[in-house]
């Protein structure tokens, strides 16, 4: 049974010398929820993070986003430049991952140091759970779209009832992986990454053979309009790495002494390389086929024998991605104060996401939904990730796991009335600044003044990070003096610096 209430009496022990060599536990439903992971249960090496993020990055949504860049009017070289810049944000995902081994807690608990115990409940309800539901639904819709073609090949008509059944089956497989949790994810994702790499190698050959590198889209933007499109493209691409403010969830079982640079490096490579390649394939494919219907378009340039394998690869990649999303959303719901087992909270996410998926596929336009949701979520995700990373830097990646799991009013991270107002104010300033600059379902006043140029991503990140660096420094110093492990007799050595 997954722990819903943090173990406030967990003791910190020195990591065993062989901790990094120990194999992971046998696959079973994970016993831990948002509680502290003691050193005796830590295992693995940082390179295992590569396969986790690689398997999650080889997915249909990245293919769609890559194709969308050319549909927006960018030529192949401009699209490739946007893909590289947008995927550089995986560095931030890696930086956040370092807080997992340092604290022994997931990303849903570490921000108590930023927002306070009660403030972090709001953070998890919005950033952790609601946005996870949106991403799960988008990815589930993408996987279902690929699966519908398999249904048609089997001789069935993909009517609304049939589509509903397909969506439910894919969701069930995904949620099963999430319910079993960390050890199953770590064991499955290596083989999954290899299978997906082989499948997309075939896609790469077909795409590169037919791609037109001199392609010039009709009505290609120029001048100021080009910059508007480039910035919108970077926002779309960066939404993937920025969505993983939860990256410590998958690194928290690593031994405390794991080098921070290795964690950042393997996480970055696992997301940047596969994610960038799949996005690039989508962009190059858009120069040869109609990426308004990516799957049908790509099937025209792929080998005939691959017609059934390709949809299966798309479904597998999306299941891998969504299993991570559902896993983290379950932890977020627990940390938001909902006292449920992690497995039950994962199922609640599934129910909400399936409902949104049915809407996205049966009622709305899928491509428009993807673009609008990704651009809107960046308004919140950019500032949230920037503040989290800034806190890691200010604290030198030194977190007291047992203190973070203490939710009592006398705890180190209770602050005032359960809220660290410095963190809350920094997030509010960052999100407000981003909202003033966004141009998607609605256009902010600054975006209007700039003729539609969407600066939400850079403005939100810079504003939030600067505000927290100025407002939060005193709170960081106070909590470091009050309770971090270095101040307690017999505490473990400080983890490596980020």
């Amino acid at each position: 049974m997954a722990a819903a209430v943090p173990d406030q009496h967990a003791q910190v022990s020195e990591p065993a010398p062989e901790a990094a060599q120990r194999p992971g536990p046998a696959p079973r439903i994970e016993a831990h929820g948002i509680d502290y992971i003691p050193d005796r249960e830590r295992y693995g090496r940082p390179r295992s993070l590569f396969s986790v993020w690689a398997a999650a990055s080889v997915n249909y949504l990245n293919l769609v986003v890559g194709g969308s860049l050319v549909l927006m009017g960018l030529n192949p070289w401009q699209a490739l430049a946007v893909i590289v810049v947008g995927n550089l944000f995986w560095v931030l995902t890696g930086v956040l991952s370092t807080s997992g081994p340092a604290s022994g807690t997931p990303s849903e608990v570490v921000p108590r140091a930023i927002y306070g115990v009660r403030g972090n409940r709001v953070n998890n309800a919005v950033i952790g759970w609601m946005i996870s539901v949106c991403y799960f639904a988008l990815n589930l819709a993408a996987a279902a779209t690929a699966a519908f073609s398999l249904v048609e090949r089997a001789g069935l008509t993909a009517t609304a009832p049939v589509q509903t059944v397909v969506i439910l089956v894919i969701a069930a497989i995904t949620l099963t992986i999430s319910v079993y949790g960390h050890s199953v994810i770590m064991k499955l994702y290596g083989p999954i990454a290899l299978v997906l790499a082989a499948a997309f190698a075939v896609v790469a050959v077909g795409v590169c053979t037919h791609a037109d590198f001199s392609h010039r889209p009709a009505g290609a933007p120029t001048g100021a309009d080009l910059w508007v499109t480039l910035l919108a493209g970077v926002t779309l691409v960066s939404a993937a790495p920025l969505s993983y403010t939860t990256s410590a969830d998958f690194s928290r079982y690593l031994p405390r002494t794991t080098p921070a640079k290795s964690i950042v490096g393997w996480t970055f490579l696992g997301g940047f390389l596969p994610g960038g390649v799949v996005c690039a394939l989508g962009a190059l494919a858009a120069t040869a086929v109609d990426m308004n219907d990516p799957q049908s378009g790509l099937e025209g340039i792929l080998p005939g024998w691959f017609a059934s394998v390709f949809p299966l690869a798309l479904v597998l990649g999306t299941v891998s991605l969504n299993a991570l999303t559902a896993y983290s959303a379950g932890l977020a719901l627990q940390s938001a104060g909902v006292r449920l087992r992690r497995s039950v909270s994962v199922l609640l996410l599934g129910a909400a996401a399936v409902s949104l998926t049915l809407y996205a596929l049966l009622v709305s336009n899928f491509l428009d939904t993807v673009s609008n949701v990704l651009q809107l979520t960046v308004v919140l995700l950019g500032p949230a990730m920037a503040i989290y990373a800034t806190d890691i830097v200010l604290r030198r990646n030194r977190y007291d796991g047992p203190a973070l799991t203490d939710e009592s009013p006398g705890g180190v991270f209770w602050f005032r009335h359960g809220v660290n107002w410095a963190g809350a104010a920094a997030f509010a300033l960052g999100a407000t600044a981003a909202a003033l600059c966004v141009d998607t379902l609605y256009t902010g006043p600054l975006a209007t003044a700039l003729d539609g140029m969407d600066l939400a991503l850079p403005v939100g990140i810079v504003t939030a990070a600067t505000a927290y660096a100025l407002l939060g420094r005193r709170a960081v110093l106070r909590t470091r003096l009050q309770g971090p492990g270095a101040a307690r007799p017999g505490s473990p050595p400080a983890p490596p610096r980020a």
Side-chain angles (χ1 to χ4, degrees), residues 314-348:
L314 294 178
V315 172
L316 179 61
T318 307
V319 165
S320 303
L321 171 59
N322 260 358
L324 302 188
T325 302
Y327 178 81
S328 294
L331 296 174
L333 201 59
Q334 285 186 320
S335 195
V338 179
R339 299 307 184 186
L340 293 173
R341 289 180 296 173
R342 183 184 56 80
S343 54
V344 176
S345 60
V346 165
L347 296 177
L348 281 178

PDB file of all heavy atoms in Angstrom, residues 314-348:
ATOM      1  N   LEU A 314       4.085   4.395 -32.064  1.00  0.00           N
ATOM      2  CA  LEU A 314       3.527   5.657 -31.567  1.00  0.00           C
ATOM      3  C   LEU A 314       2.761   5.443 -30.268  1.00  0.00           C
ATOM      4  O   LEU A 314       2.872   6.240 -29.330  1.00  0.00           O
ATOM      5  CB  LEU A 314       2.606   6.260 -32.626  1.00  0.00           C
ATOM      6  CG  LEU A 314       3.275   6.721 -33.931  1.00  0.00           C
ATOM      7  CD1 LEU A 314       2.225   7.249 -34.907  1.00  0.00           C
ATOM      8  CD2 LEU A 314       4.327   7.787 -33.659  1.00  0.00           C
ATOM      9  N   VAL A 315       1.996   4.372 -30.219  1.00  0.00           N
ATOM     10  CA  VAL A 315       1.234   4.071 -28.998  1.00  0.00           C
ATOM     11  C   VAL A 315       2.186   3.757 -27.849  1.00  0.00           C
ATOM     12  O   VAL A 315       2.015   4.252 -26.721  1.00  0.00           O
ATOM     13  CB  VAL A 315       0.267   2.894 -29.235  1.00  0.00           C
ATOM     14  CG1 VAL A 315      -0.371   2.456 -27.917  1.00  0.00           C
ATOM     15  CG2 VAL A 315      -0.809   3.285 -30.236  1.00  0.00           C
ATOM     16  N   LEU A 316       3.214   2.938 -28.115  1.00  0.00           N
ATOM     17  CA  LEU A 316       4.171   2.567 -27.063  1.00  0.00           C
ATOM     18  C   LEU A 316       4.888   3.797 -26.510  1.00  0.00           C
ATOM     19  O   LEU A 316       5.038   3.943 -25.288  1.00  0.00           O
ATOM     20  CB  LEU A 316       5.182   1.571 -27.625  1.00  0.00           C
ATOM     21  CG  LEU A 316       6.280   1.097 -26.657  1.00  0.00           C
ATOM     22  CD1 LEU A 316       5.675   0.392 -25.450  1.00  0.00           C
ATOM     23  CD2 LEU A 316       7.268   0.179 -27.382  1.00  0.00           C
ATOM     24  N   GLY A 317       5.336   4.691 -27.393  1.00  0.00           N
ATOM     25  CA  GLY A 317       6.026   5.889 -26.937  1.00  0.00           C
ATOM     26  C   GLY A 317       5.137   6.778 -26.088  1.00  0.00           C
ATOM     27  O   GLY A 317       5.575   7.323 -25.069  1.00  0.00           O
ATOM     28  N   THR A 318       3.886   6.894 -26.472  1.00  0.00           N
ATOM     29  CA  THR A 318       2.968   7.752 -25.720  1.00  0.00           C
ATOM     30  C   THR A 318       2.578   7.127 -24.392  1.00  0.00           C
ATOM     31  O   THR A 318       2.425   7.829 -23.388  1.00  0.00           O
ATOM     32  CB  THR A 318       1.718   8.054 -26.568  1.00  0.00           C
ATOM     33  OG1 THR A 318       2.129   8.570 -27.820  1.00  0.00           O
ATOM     34  CG2 THR A 318       0.839   9.077 -25.870  1.00  0.00           C
ATOM     35  N   VAL A 319       2.439   5.810 -24.365  1.00  0.00           N
ATOM     36  CA  VAL A 319       2.179   5.124 -23.096  1.00  0.00           C
ATOM     37  C   VAL A 319       3.342   5.373 -22.129  1.00  0.00           C
ATOM     38  O   VAL A 319       3.131   5.630 -20.932  1.00  0.00           O
ATOM     39  CB  VAL A 319       1.966   3.616 -23.331  1.00  0.00           C
ATOM     40  CG1 VAL A 319       2.058   2.842 -22.010  1.00  0.00           C
ATOM     41  CG2 VAL A 319       0.611   3.361 -23.978  1.00  0.00           C
ATOM     42  N   SER A 320       4.570   5.305 -22.637  1.00  0.00           N
ATOM     43  CA  SER A 320       5.746   5.548 -21.793  1.00  0.00           C
ATOM     44  C   SER A 320       5.721   6.954 -21.213  1.00  0.00           C
ATOM     45  O   SER A 320       5.997   7.162 -20.025  1.00  0.00           O
ATOM     46  CB  SER A 320       7.029   5.362 -22.613  1.00  0.00           C
ATOM     47  OG  SER A 320       7.080   4.076 -23.174  1.00  0.00           O
ATOM     48  N   LEU A 321       5.398   7.920 -22.040  1.00  0.00           N
ATOM     49  CA  LEU A 321       5.324   9.308 -21.588  1.00  0.00           C
ATOM     50  C   LEU A 321       4.227   9.492 -20.556  1.00  0.00           C
ATOM     51  O   LEU A 321       4.425  10.092 -19.492  1.00  0.00           O
ATOM     52  CB  LEU A 321       5.090  10.218 -22.789  1.00  0.00           C
ATOM     53  CG  LEU A 321       4.775  11.686 -22.515  1.00  0.00           C
ATOM     54  CD1 LEU A 321       5.905  12.344 -21.743  1.00  0.00           C
ATOM     55  CD2 LEU A 321       4.519  12.426 -23.816  1.00  0.00           C
ATOM     56  N   ASN A 322       3.058   8.971 -20.853  1.00  0.00           N
ATOM     57  CA  ASN A 322       1.920   9.194 -19.964  1.00  0.00           C
ATOM     58  C   ASN A 322       2.031   8.449 -18.651  1.00  0.00           C
ATOM     59  O   ASN A 322       1.444   8.865 -17.641  1.00  0.00           O
ATOM     60  CB  ASN A 322       0.617   8.805 -20.676  1.00  0.00           C
ATOM     61  CG  ASN A 322      -0.109  10.021 -21.215  1.00  0.00           C
ATOM     62  OD1 ASN A 322       0.333  11.146 -21.035  1.00  0.00           O
ATOM     63  ND2 ASN A 322      -1.229   9.802 -21.875  1.00  0.00           N
ATOM     64  N   ALA A 323       2.770   7.340 -18.631  1.00  0.00           N
ATOM     65  CA  ALA A 323       2.958   6.628 -17.362  1.00  0.00           C
ATOM     66  C   ALA A 323       3.722   7.503 -16.379  1.00  0.00           C
ATOM     67  O   ALA A 323       3.424   7.522 -15.179  1.00  0.00           O
ATOM     68  CB  ALA A 323       3.695   5.317 -17.608  1.00  0.00           C
ATOM     69  N   LEU A 324       4.708   8.258 -16.881  1.00  0.00           N
ATOM     70  CA  LEU A 324       5.434   9.190 -16.018  1.00  0.00           C
ATOM     71  C   LEU A 324       4.515  10.303 -15.528  1.00  0.00           C
ATOM     72  O   LEU A 324       4.549  10.697 -14.355  1.00  0.00           O
ATOM     73  CB  LEU A 324       6.621   9.804 -16.763  1.00  0.00           C
ATOM     74  CG  LEU A 324       7.685   8.865 -17.333  1.00  0.00           C
ATOM     75  CD1 LEU A 324       8.862   9.688 -17.862  1.00  0.00           C
ATOM     76  CD2 LEU A 324       8.159   7.864 -16.302  1.00  0.00           C
ATOM     77  N   THR A 325       3.696  10.818 -16.441  1.00  0.00           N
ATOM     78  CA  THR A 325       2.770  11.902 -16.084  1.00  0.00           C
ATOM     79  C   THR A 325       1.790  11.442 -15.009  1.00  0.00           C
ATOM     80  O   THR A 325       1.548  12.157 -14.028  1.00  0.00           O
ATOM     81  CB  THR A 325       2.002  12.360 -17.332  1.00  0.00           C
ATOM     82  OG1 THR A 325       2.930  12.797 -18.327  1.00  0.00           O
ATOM     83  CG2 THR A 325       1.057  13.510 -16.997  1.00  0.00           C
ATOM     84  N   ALA A 326       1.227  10.257 -15.191  1.00  0.00           N
ATOM     85  CA  ALA A 326       0.249   9.750 -14.227  1.00  0.00           C
ATOM     86  C   ALA A 326       0.898   9.461 -12.879  1.00  0.00           C
ATOM     87  O   ALA A 326       0.308   9.715 -11.815  1.00  0.00           O
ATOM     88  CB  ALA A 326      -0.405   8.487 -14.777  1.00  0.00           C
ATOM     89  N   TYR A 327       2.108   8.936 -12.912  1.00  0.00           N
ATOM     90  CA  TYR A 327       2.829   8.640 -11.670  1.00  0.00           C
ATOM     91  C   TYR A 327       3.009   9.917 -10.854  1.00  0.00           C
ATOM     92  O   TYR A 327       2.717   9.962  -9.651  1.00  0.00           O
ATOM     93  CB  TYR A 327       4.180   8.026 -12.020  1.00  0.00           C
ATOM     94  CG  TYR A 327       5.062   7.722 -10.837  1.00  0.00           C
ATOM     95  CD1 TYR A 327       4.877   6.560 -10.085  1.00  0.00           C
ATOM     96  CD2 TYR A 327       6.097   8.584 -10.466  1.00  0.00           C
ATOM     97  CE1 TYR A 327       5.692   6.273  -8.999  1.00  0.00           C
ATOM     98  CE2 TYR A 327       6.913   8.303  -9.389  1.00  0.00           C
ATOM     99  CZ  TYR A 327       6.720   7.153  -8.660  1.00  0.00           C
ATOM    100  OH  TYR A 327       7.519   6.870  -7.580  1.00  0.00           O
ATOM    101  N   SER A 328       3.496  10.964 -11.503  1.00  0.00           N
ATOM    102  CA  SER A 328       3.731  12.229 -10.803  1.00  0.00           C
ATOM    103  C   SER A 328       2.428  12.881 -10.354  1.00  0.00           C
ATOM    104  O   SER A 328       2.357  13.483  -9.285  1.00  0.00           O
ATOM    105  CB  SER A 328       4.502  13.191 -11.712  1.00  0.00           C
ATOM    106  OG  SER A 328       5.800  12.698 -11.965  1.00  0.00           O
ATOM    107  N   ALA A 329       1.382  12.752 -11.169  1.00  0.00           N
ATOM    108  CA  ALA A 329       0.097  13.343 -10.801  1.00  0.00           C
ATOM    109  C   ALA A 329      -0.472  12.682  -9.549  1.00  0.00           C
ATOM    110  O   ALA A 329      -1.113  13.348  -8.724  1.00  0.00           O
ATOM    111  CB  ALA A 329      -0.886  13.215 -11.952  1.00  0.00           C
ATOM    112  N   GLY A 330      -0.227  11.382  -9.417  1.00  0.00           N
ATOM    113  CA  GLY A 330      -0.676  10.702  -8.201  1.00  0.00           C
ATOM    114  C   GLY A 330       0.017  11.250  -6.968  1.00  0.00           C
ATOM    115  O   GLY A 330      -0.617  11.466  -5.924  1.00  0.00           O
ATOM    116  N   LEU A 331       1.309  11.495  -7.074  1.00  0.00           N
ATOM    117  CA  LEU A 331       2.043  12.088  -5.958  1.00  0.00           C
ATOM    118  C   LEU A 331       1.577  13.520  -5.691  1.00  0.00           C
ATOM    119  O   LEU A 331       1.510  13.952  -4.532  1.00  0.00           O
ATOM    120  CB  LEU A 331       3.545  12.087  -6.273  1.00  0.00           C
ATOM    121  CG  LEU A 331       4.208  10.708  -6.425  1.00  0.00           C
ATOM    122  CD1 LEU A 331       5.655  10.869  -6.892  1.00  0.00           C
ATOM    123  CD2 LEU A 331       4.158   9.928  -5.127  1.00  0.00           C
ATOM    124  N   ALA A 332       1.260  14.245  -6.765  1.00  0.00           N
ATOM    125  CA  ALA A 332       0.813  15.632  -6.604  1.00  0.00           C
ATOM    126  C   ALA A 332      -0.501  15.696  -5.836  1.00  0.00           C
ATOM    127  O   ALA A 332      -0.692  16.569  -4.979  1.00  0.00           O
ATOM    128  CB  ALA A 332       0.647  16.286  -7.972  1.00  0.00           C
ATOM    129  N   LEU A 333      -1.406  14.779  -6.135  1.00  0.00           N
ATOM    130  CA  LEU A 333      -2.695  14.783  -5.446  1.00  0.00           C
ATOM    131  C   LEU A 333      -2.513  14.482  -3.961  1.00  0.00           C
ATOM    132  O   LEU A 333      -3.173  15.075  -3.108  1.00  0.00           O
ATOM    133  CB  LEU A 333      -3.630  13.761  -6.096  1.00  0.00           C
ATOM    134  CG  LEU A 333      -5.128  13.960  -5.849  1.00  0.00           C
ATOM    135  CD1 LEU A 333      -5.582  15.325  -6.350  1.00  0.00           C
ATOM    136  CD2 LEU A 333      -5.928  12.860  -6.536  1.00  0.00           C
ATOM    137  N   GLN A 334      -1.593  13.559  -3.646  1.00  0.00           N
ATOM    138  CA  GLN A 334      -1.294  13.291  -2.241  1.00  0.00           C
ATOM    139  C   GLN A 334      -0.732  14.529  -1.552  1.00  0.00           C
ATOM    140  O   GLN A 334      -1.157  14.892  -0.453  1.00  0.00           O
ATOM    141  CB  GLN A 334      -0.271  12.155  -2.132  1.00  0.00           C
ATOM    142  CG  GLN A 334      -0.825  10.774  -2.405  1.00  0.00           C
ATOM    143  CD  GLN A 334       0.226   9.704  -2.139  1.00  0.00           C
ATOM    144  OE1 GLN A 334       1.402   9.888  -2.463  1.00  0.00           O
ATOM    145  NE2 GLN A 334      -0.179   8.613  -1.560  1.00  0.00           N
ATOM    146  N   SER A 335       0.233  15.173  -2.208  1.00  0.00           N
ATOM    147  CA  SER A 335       0.874  16.324  -1.598  1.00  0.00           C
ATOM    148  C   SER A 335      -0.056  17.529  -1.522  1.00  0.00           C
ATOM    149  O   SER A 335       0.179  18.446  -0.735  1.00  0.00           O
ATOM    150  CB  SER A 335       2.137  16.692  -2.389  1.00  0.00           C
ATOM    151  OG  SER A 335       2.953  17.566  -1.653  1.00  0.00           O
ATOM    152  N   ALA A 336      -1.111  17.522  -2.340  1.00  0.00           N
ATOM    153  CA  ALA A 336      -2.102  18.600  -2.269  1.00  0.00           C
ATOM    154  C   ALA A 336      -3.025  18.443  -1.065  1.00  0.00           C
ATOM    155  O   ALA A 336      -3.870  19.303  -0.820  1.00  0.00           O
ATOM    156  CB  ALA A 336      -2.926  18.639  -3.549  1.00  0.00           C
ATOM    157  N   GLY A 337      -2.850  17.343  -0.322  1.00  0.00           N
ATOM    158  CA  GLY A 337      -3.632  17.145   0.895  1.00  0.00           C
ATOM    159  C   GLY A 337      -4.735  16.123   0.771  1.00  0.00           C
ATOM    160  O   GLY A 337      -5.483  15.906   1.727  1.00  0.00           O
ATOM    161  N   VAL A 338      -4.865  15.474  -0.384  1.00  0.00           N
ATOM    162  CA  VAL A 338      -5.887  14.437  -0.565  1.00  0.00           C
ATOM    163  C   VAL A 338      -5.320  13.139  -0.027  1.00  0.00           C
ATOM    164  O   VAL A 338      -4.366  12.583  -0.580  1.00  0.00           O
ATOM    165  CB  VAL A 338      -6.265  14.281  -2.056  1.00  0.00           C
ATOM    166  CG1 VAL A 338      -7.307  13.196  -2.227  1.00  0.00           C
ATOM    167  CG2 VAL A 338      -6.768  15.603  -2.605  1.00  0.00           C
ATOM    168  N   ARG A 339      -5.898  12.631   1.040  1.00  0.00           N
ATOM    169  CA  ARG A 339      -5.345  11.475   1.735  1.00  0.00           C
ATOM    170  C   ARG A 339      -5.804  10.180   1.085  1.00  0.00           C
ATOM    171  O   ARG A 339      -6.709   9.497   1.555  1.00  0.00           O
ATOM    172  CB  ARG A 339      -5.737  11.507   3.215  1.00  0.00           C
ATOM    173  CG  ARG A 339      -5.222  12.724   3.962  1.00  0.00           C
ATOM    174  CD  ARG A 339      -3.721  12.886   3.781  1.00  0.00           C
ATOM    175  NE  ARG A 339      -3.188  13.998   4.562  1.00  0.00           N
ATOM    176  CZ  ARG A 339      -1.939  14.414   4.490  1.00  0.00           C
ATOM    177  NH1 ARG A 339      -1.106  13.828   3.658  1.00  0.00           N
ATOM    178  NH2 ARG A 339      -1.514  15.423   5.220  1.00  0.00           N
ATOM    179  N   LEU A 340      -5.162   9.864  -0.009  1.00  0.00           N
ATOM    180  CA  LEU A 340      -5.444   8.629  -0.735  1.00  0.00           C
ATOM    181  C   LEU A 340      -4.148   7.902  -1.001  1.00  0.00           C
ATOM    182  O   LEU A 340      -3.078   8.511  -1.047  1.00  0.00           O
ATOM    183  CB  LEU A 340      -6.119   8.943  -2.082  1.00  0.00           C
ATOM    184  CG  LEU A 340      -7.531   9.530  -2.052  1.00  0.00           C
ATOM    185  CD1 LEU A 340      -7.925   9.922  -3.469  1.00  0.00           C
ATOM    186  CD2 LEU A 340      -8.524   8.534  -1.493  1.00  0.00           C
ATOM    187  N   ARG A 341      -4.237   6.602  -1.197  1.00  0.00           N
ATOM    188  CA  ARG A 341      -3.070   5.866  -1.649  1.00  0.00           C
ATOM    189  C   ARG A 341      -2.662   6.374  -3.030  1.00  0.00           C
ATOM    190  O   ARG A 341      -3.492   6.817  -3.813  1.00  0.00           O
ATOM    191  CB  ARG A 341      -3.372   4.362  -1.732  1.00  0.00           C
ATOM    192  CG  ARG A 341      -3.530   3.691  -0.372  1.00  0.00           C
ATOM    193  CD  ARG A 341      -3.827   2.222  -0.562  1.00  0.00           C
ATOM    194  NE  ARG A 341      -5.107   2.019  -1.241  1.00  0.00           N
ATOM    195  CZ  ARG A 341      -5.551   0.845  -1.656  1.00  0.00           C
ATOM    196  NH1 ARG A 341      -4.818  -0.230  -1.501  1.00  0.00           N
ATOM    197  NH2 ARG A 341      -6.721   0.749  -2.244  1.00  0.00           N
ATOM    198  N   ARG A 342      -1.375   6.250  -3.322  1.00  0.00           N
ATOM    199  CA  ARG A 342      -0.878   6.726  -4.608  1.00  0.00           C
ATOM    200  C   ARG A 342      -1.603   6.031  -5.760  1.00  0.00           C
ATOM    201  O   ARG A 342      -1.937   6.644  -6.777  1.00  0.00           O
ATOM    202  CB  ARG A 342       0.634   6.479  -4.714  1.00  0.00           C
ATOM    203  CG  ARG A 342       1.268   7.010  -5.994  1.00  0.00           C
ATOM    204  CD  ARG A 342       2.736   6.637  -6.078  1.00  0.00           C
ATOM    205  NE  ARG A 342       2.901   5.198  -5.979  1.00  0.00           N
ATOM    206  CZ  ARG A 342       2.719   4.357  -7.005  1.00  0.00           C
ATOM    207  NH1 ARG A 342       2.355   4.818  -8.179  1.00  0.00           N
ATOM    208  NH2 ARG A 342       2.893   3.069  -6.846  1.00  0.00           N
ATOM    209  N   SER A 343      -1.857   4.730  -5.616  1.00  0.00           N
ATOM    210  CA  SER A 343      -2.510   3.990  -6.691  1.00  0.00           C
ATOM    211  C   SER A 343      -3.909   4.531  -6.976  1.00  0.00           C
ATOM    212  O   SER A 343      -4.325   4.655  -8.132  1.00  0.00           O
ATOM    213  CB  SER A 343      -2.589   2.502  -6.331  1.00  0.00           C
ATOM    214  OG  SER A 343      -3.213   2.318  -5.076  1.00  0.00           O
ATOM    215  N   VAL A 344      -4.635   4.896  -5.930  1.00  0.00           N
ATOM    216  CA  VAL A 344      -5.986   5.431  -6.116  1.00  0.00           C
ATOM    217  C   VAL A 344      -5.925   6.815  -6.744  1.00  0.00           C
ATOM    218  O   VAL A 344      -6.719   7.150  -7.639  1.00  0.00           O
ATOM    219  CB  VAL A 344      -6.743   5.485  -4.764  1.00  0.00           C
ATOM    220  CG1 VAL A 344      -8.104   6.136  -4.939  1.00  0.00           C
ATOM    221  CG2 VAL A 344      -6.900   4.085  -4.189  1.00  0.00           C
ATOM    222  N   SER A 345      -4.961   7.629  -6.320  1.00  0.00           N
ATOM    223  CA  SER A 345      -4.847   8.983  -6.886  1.00  0.00           C
ATOM    224  C   SER A 345      -4.467   8.920  -8.366  1.00  0.00           C
ATOM    225  O   SER A 345      -4.890   9.767  -9.152  1.00  0.00           O
ATOM    226  CB  SER A 345      -3.831   9.809  -6.094  1.00  0.00           C
ATOM    227  OG  SER A 345      -2.549   9.211  -6.114  1.00  0.00           O
ATOM    228  N   VAL A 346      -3.693   7.893  -8.762  1.00  0.00           N
ATOM    229  CA  VAL A 346      -3.363   7.707 -10.178  1.00  0.00           C
ATOM    230  C   VAL A 346      -4.622   7.403 -10.978  1.00  0.00           C
ATOM    231  O   VAL A 346      -4.828   7.915 -12.082  1.00  0.00           O
ATOM    232  CB  VAL A 346      -2.326   6.574 -10.333  1.00  0.00           C
ATOM    233  CG1 VAL A 346      -2.245   6.107 -11.788  1.00  0.00           C
ATOM    234  CG2 VAL A 346      -0.953   7.048  -9.868  1.00  0.00           C
ATOM    235  N   LEU A 347      -5.484   6.575 -10.441  1.00  0.00           N
ATOM    236  CA  LEU A 347      -6.721   6.216 -11.142  1.00  0.00           C
ATOM    237  C   LEU A 347      -7.649   7.420 -11.291  1.00  0.00           C
ATOM    238  O   LEU A 347      -8.360   7.542 -12.292  1.00  0.00           O
ATOM    239  CB  LEU A 347      -7.428   5.080 -10.401  1.00  0.00           C
ATOM    240  CG  LEU A 347      -6.657   3.754 -10.363  1.00  0.00           C
ATOM    241  CD1 LEU A 347      -7.421   2.717  -9.538  1.00  0.00           C
ATOM    242  CD2 LEU A 347      -6.408   3.226 -11.767  1.00  0.00           C
ATOM    243  N   LEU A 348      -7.641   8.313 -10.308  1.00  0.00           N
ATOM    244  CA  LEU A 348      -8.453   9.529 -10.423  1.00  0.00           C
ATOM    245  C   LEU A 348      -7.973  10.392 -11.593  1.00  0.00           C
ATOM    246  O   LEU A 348      -8.774  10.950 -12.347  1.00  0.00           O
ATOM    247  CB  LEU A 348      -8.384  10.336  -9.120  1.00  0.00           C
ATOM    248  CG  LEU A 348      -9.256   9.841  -7.966  1.00  0.00           C
ATOM    249  CD1 LEU A 348      -9.029  10.725  -6.739  1.00  0.00           C
ATOM    250  CD2 LEU A 348     -10.725   9.858  -8.359  1.00  0.00           C
TER     251      LEU A 348
END
